Amino acid sequence: MTSSRRKSAYLSGLYDGSPFILVIVPFATLFGVLATEAGLNVLEALAFSVVVIAGAAQFTALQLMVEDAPTVIVLISALAVNLRMAMYSASLTPYIGAAPLWQRAICAYVTVDQSYVVGITKFERAPEMTVPQRVAYFIGAVTPVVPLWYAFTFVGALIGTRVPESWALDFAIPICFLAMIAPMFRTAAHVVAALVAVVVALLAAGVPYSLGLIVAGVAGMMAGAQTELWLERRGAAA
Amino acid sequence: MSDIDSATLWIVIVGLGVGSFALRFIFIGLVGDRAMPAWLLRHLRYTAVAILPALVAPQVIWPAATDGAFDIPRAAAAAVAFGVGLVTKNVILAIAGGAITLYGLLYLLG
């Protein structure tokens, strides 16, 4: 019984994560191609994707290394791009923090933008899920993403030629995220959080090392939390 | 070809790997099932709706592919993907709408 429910949670995560196949394949290929152009061999490009498993941070590190930036700056910048992963980790903790440590370690390794957005959407909508079901669902959601991330980094490193810019693949990721964010706007507080985050992100676009993103994210979260409190107080008074 | 020094490369790969895992593990792994304060949970509820739009907004307004120049096909595709998502709550339809808008306008205006 339990294992069959866990299996169906895994399959439903797999289904919900599958649209990202369209994004991950070109994105991973592009990383492999650019890594090769920067002078990495196939093994090094693949190791980069397996060990780091974070697209934007990998592109940042690669770019800075090509520009001969000091190693410390490369590390700090790429980790700053990944700071949002700590926020994802915190946000997932109430849902899967009770799982065994080894499962939490695996979940941590596969926490990326895609698995986070799919996972958190489901967990918020289905509070009745058990912790094992949530873990199974989360692993399901990332199954179409992570192996393809490795495989197509490898393919890209083998091809080593540029993907035509006319394919406009740069925009696959924004479209996918916008499509997934939209159904999350359930209360006025969610809308306020997003609006504040967007405005601050645009104002802070010039802040170095992607720290503007973190500032914008925190500002949005504070705005959402304050709106929620305000709505609660008004509801209590009425 | 600007060859990156192999030692530097591996320091970056391993350093980034360890650092990225630490960022992802810090709460899930170390906090575990200990209760977190209500004010923190209240903020964390808005992580997704704050961070993801903040990640996307600059790419919509200043796309890297056009060297930061505002681009009508990309902006329209973003608006359609978001709009269809809001109305239908269907992610696949929203992605399809955004993709059709992007390629349609790139073809018409290109």
Side-chain angles (χ1 to χ4, degrees):
Chain A
M1 270 304 280
T2 328
S3 77
S4 77
R5 264 193 231 125
R6 203 177 301 170
K7 195 174 162 198
S8 81
Y10 175 82
L11 290 177
S12 102
L14 191 69
Y15 177 80
D16 293 344
S18 56
F20 283 118
I21 293 172
L22 296 173
V23 180
I24 289 300
V25 168
F27 202 47
T29 308
L30 188 62
F31 179 77
V33 167
L34 293 183
T36 311
E37 283 181 357
L40 274 64
N41 63 37
V42 175
L43 173 73
E44 289 165 340
L46 183 61
F48 215 139
S49 278
V50 172
V51 174
V52 182
I53 183 173
Q58 289 177 222
F59 279 104
T60 306
L62 196 63
Q63 180 67 34
L64 288 171
M65 281 192 287
V66 170
E67 290 167 12
D68 270 331
T71 307
V72 178
I73 299 296
V74 175
L75 285 171
I76 293 175
S77 308
L79 287 175
V81 171
N82 261 355
L83 258 187
R84 66 186 187 287
M85 301 298 166
M87 295 195 196
Y88 294 165
S89 177
S91 172
L92 289 169
T93 298
Y95 296 104
I96 56 174
L101 185 65
W102 66 273
Q103 292 184 2
R104 280 182 275 148
I106 293 173
C107 288
Y109 173 71
V110 297
T111 297
V112 292
D113 292 313
Q114 290 80 11
S115 56
Y116 172 70
V117 68
V118 171
I120 202 75
T121 306
K122 178 75 171 184
F123 301 160
E124 285 179 355
R125 271 200 216 139
E128 74 282 359
M129 283 176 94
T130 63
V131 171
Q133 284 174 340
R134 288 182 189 135
V135 170
Y137 180 88
F138 193 74
I139 298 298
V142 86
T143 301
V145 173
V146 167
L148 290 177
W149 180 246
Y150 304 157
F152 281 87
T153 297
F154 185 74
V155 169
L158 287 181
I159 313 175
T161 48
R162 207 171 257 290
V163 173
E165 279 183 19
S166 62
W167 291 5
L169 293 177
D170 61 291
F171 221 60
I173 291 197
I175 286 179
C176 279
F177 281 137
L178 285 167
M180 311 206 87
I181 295 161
M184 288 186 187
F185 288 81
R186 291 191 308 277
T187 67
H190 289 90
V191 176
V192 171
L195 281 177
V196 169
V198 165
V199 170
V200 175
L202 294 179
L203 291 176
V207 176
Y209 308 132
S210 296
L211 287 175
L213 170 65
I214 301 302
V215 174
V218 171
M221 288 159 73
M222 291 170 67
Q226 288 308 312
T227 308
E228 183 188 313
L229 273 177
W230 184 77
L231 288 171
E232 268 176 20
R233 274 199 301 265
R234 215 182 50 160
Chain B
M1 196 177 287
S2 60
D3 259 358
I4 297 163
D5 172 55
S6 170
T8 308
L9 175 70
W10 283 100
I11 291 171
V12 167
I13 290 178
V14 173
L16 263 188
V18 171
S20 299
F21 182 76
L23 287 173
R24 291 161 165 149
F25 190 69
I26 187 162
F27 290 97
I28 301 181
L30 299 184
V31 175
D33 56 355
R34 269 168 293 214
M36 295 201 282
W39 68 267
L40 183 58
L41 291 174
R42 192 190 299 282
H43 284 79
L44 293 177
R45 270 199 280 282
Y46 300 96
T47 310
V49 283
I51 292 272
L52 294 167
L55 193 64
V56 169
Q59 300 174 38
V60 172
I61 308 294
W62 304 294
T66 57
D67 287 325
F70 184 78
D71 185 56
I72 290 170
R74 285 178 173 79
V80 169
F82 186 69
V84 173
L86 267 187
V87 173
T88 67
K89 312 270 184 217
N90 184 316
V91 175
I92 307 279
L93 273 183
I95 291 174
I100 291 166
T101 308
L102 178 63
Y103 288 116
L105 286 178
L106 280 176
Y107 177 75
L108 289 176
L109 301 176

